[in-house]
Amino acid sequence: VQFGFISGTFVFAVLTIADRFSPSRVFFVSSILAALCNMGITINGIDSNALLLFRFLTGFFLAGIYPVGMKIASDHYQKGLGKSLGFLVGALVVGTSFPHLLKSITTDVPWKAIVISTSILSFTGGLAMIVLVPDGPYRKRAQRLDVTAFLRGYSNKNFRSASLGYFGHMWELYAFWAFLPVMLMAFSNRTGLNLNVPLLSFAIIASGGLACMISGVLSLQYGPKRVATLALLSSCLCCLFSPLLLLGNSAVLLIIFLLFWGMTVAADSPLFSTMVAQNAGEESRGSALTIMNCIGFSITIVSLQCTSFLLTFFNPEIVFTVLALGPILGLIALIGNKSQ
């Protein structure tokens, strides 16, 4: 839970700086430092305080990778930005699902080997970025750090509706990902069916990566707002109807439902970033994306805490309807804006 807050807070600093300095360099440095901090927990004899510090710093520097990647994409694309961000966020979603896959197939692999392997991947990704990806043709260097870019953007209806839609989306997204194993375990315990929870969690979350790519391509023809609105509406309906499937007895129907939910809950993410980037000023695009991510990740903390609190009083089969609150508010903002 605190990882989201740490990431969101540091994003504010990183992307604002990325407006003035090469985003590829910020990405590279963040990747290297994240890798080193991640490997820090493998030190023999490490105590709990050092362990927590390394985990804090890993999240701290990871915040310089994903949002900066969006900034880099927006500097390279204008017309095809939705597709570009679709593939970028799709990769993020697949990466999010990857630990569940590791859990299902690497029970006999030492945990330090997994940590070292992921650190090497982080280092490799940063190296590839600095060597292969130059600054984009649409990048415009900022003259100063702009911490008011997001607030000024609210005078633009399109910017405002996109950011509010994103906030509603974030209320649902990370809570769904975090508590997906809880849904599956509750169904397995109630029905007595032996579900492979880690493997199913991987497949369901990873399906969102494919959906991000598809939504990015579709946005080129139908526009990001239309596709994002449809995805947000679909995931909202999944929240509301989740008790019917979770209280049922068919594992096949539940898995199909959760795969669909896993796709729709993530499909709109790159499109909201696209709309915000397209409606922010060129000089403050990085700052606007920064603050949007900061607020969005902070919202996930509240959502996760609320869901966790409700699970102490109510059966898990009905709790996840509360996740519909975010999409409902996001849909109101999107549908209410007729100018986009």
Side-chain angles (χ1 to χ4, degrees):
V1 174
Q2 296 306 316
F3 170 81
F5 177 77
I6 295 165
S7 298
T9 302
F10 184 61
V11 163
F12 185 95
V14 167
L15 259 184
T16 305
I17 294 171
D19 269 344
R20 299 191 67 189
F21 300 100
S22 170
S24 295
R25 291 182 182 178
V26 175
F27 189 106
F28 171 70
V29 172
S30 298
S31 299
I32 302 306
L33 293 176
L36 292 174
C37 292
N38 192 48
M39 291 183 64
I41 66 173
T42 65
I43 297 174
N44 292 329
I46 186 173
D47 61 23
S48 59
N49 291 329
L51 176 66
L52 290 175
L53 177 61
F54 277 125
R55 298 317 292 159
F56 174 93
L57 291 175
T58 301
F60 185 89
F61 291 115
L62 282 176
I65 298 175
Y66 166 55
V68 174
M70 291 196 298
K71 173 67 166 64
I72 293 170
S74 68
D75 288 342
H76 279 271
Y77 295 90
Q78 284 187 328
K79 291 183 179 179
L81 182 58
K83 179 181 177 181
S84 173
L85 290 180
F87 279 80
L88 175 68
V89 178
L92 164 74
V93 175
V94 174
T96 301
S97 70
F98 196 62
H100 294 288
L101 178 63
L102 290 178
K103 185 177 180 179
S104 69
I105 63 176
T106 60
T107 54
D108 297 327
V109 176
W111 67 270
K112 288 187 178 181
I114 301 298
V115 172
I116 293 171
S117 298
T118 55
S119 297
I120 292 173
L121 288 173
S122 177
F123 178 87
T124 304
L127 186 63
M129 181 64 70
I130 195 67
V131 172
L132 301 176
V133 183
D135 290 339
Y138 301 107
R139 177 177 176 243
K140 184 173 289 188
R141 187 185 300 272
Q143 298 302 311
R144 59 186 177 85
L145 301 182
D146 192 353
V147 298
T148 63
F150 190 83
L151 294 177
R152 290 203 315 274
Y154 261 71
S155 62
N156 182 321
K157 288 184 178 180
N158 295 338
F159 182 96
R160 185 168 61 246
S161 66
S163 59
L164 291 175
Y166 173 78
F167 297 153
H169 152 79
M170 289 296 282
W171 172 270
E172 177 192 10
L173 178 64
Y174 277 83
F176 173 78
W177 284 348
F179 291 104
L180 175 60
V182 174
M183 298 185 199
L184 292 168
M185 283 300 301
F187 180 87
S188 182
N189 292 335
R190 184 178 60 81
T191 61
L193 298 174
N194 186 23
L195 300 179
N196 189 333
V197 173
L199 185 60
L200 286 173
S201 297
F202 161 75
I204 292 165
I205 296 174
S207 69
L210 177 62
C212 287
M213 299 175 193
I214 294 173
S215 69
V217 173
L218 291 176
S219 70
L220 298 179
Q221 181 175 355
Y222 300 103
K225 180 187 176 183
R226 184 177 298 178
V227 180
T229 301
L230 178 61
L232 193 61
L233 174 61
S234 299
S235 66
C236 179
L237 293 175
C238 287
C239 297
L240 295 174
F241 287 104
S242 59
L244 296 179
L245 280 299
L246 291 172
L247 290 170
N249 295 310
S250 173
V252 174
L253 287 178
L254 176 65
I255 292 170
I256 293 173
F257 169 75
L258 290 176
L259 282 169
F260 177 76
W261 195 355
M263 295 180 72
T264 59
V265 74
D268 47 3
S269 189
L271 305 182
F272 288 126
S273 298
T274 298
M275 289 187 283
V276 168
Q278 289 176 339
N279 291 285
E282 291 184 357
E283 296 86 353
S284 59
R285 184 180 295 141
S287 298
L289 285 169
T290 296
I291 303 173
M292 183 192 77
N293 276 269
C294 181
I295 296 173
F297 276 98
S298 298
I299 288 172
T300 66
I301 298 174
V302 180
S303 175
L304 287 165
Q305 292 284 14
C306 286
T307 305
S308 180
F309 176 77
L310 291 173
L311 283 170
T312 62
F313 294 97
F314 301 99
N315 292 331
E317 290 84 0
I318 64 173
V319 164
F320 302 105
T321 54
V322 74
L323 299 183
L325 292 175
I328 289 172
L329 294 176
L331 287 168
I332 291 173
L334 289 171
I335 297 173
N337 178 21
K338 304 296 185 182
S339 62
Q340 192 171 32

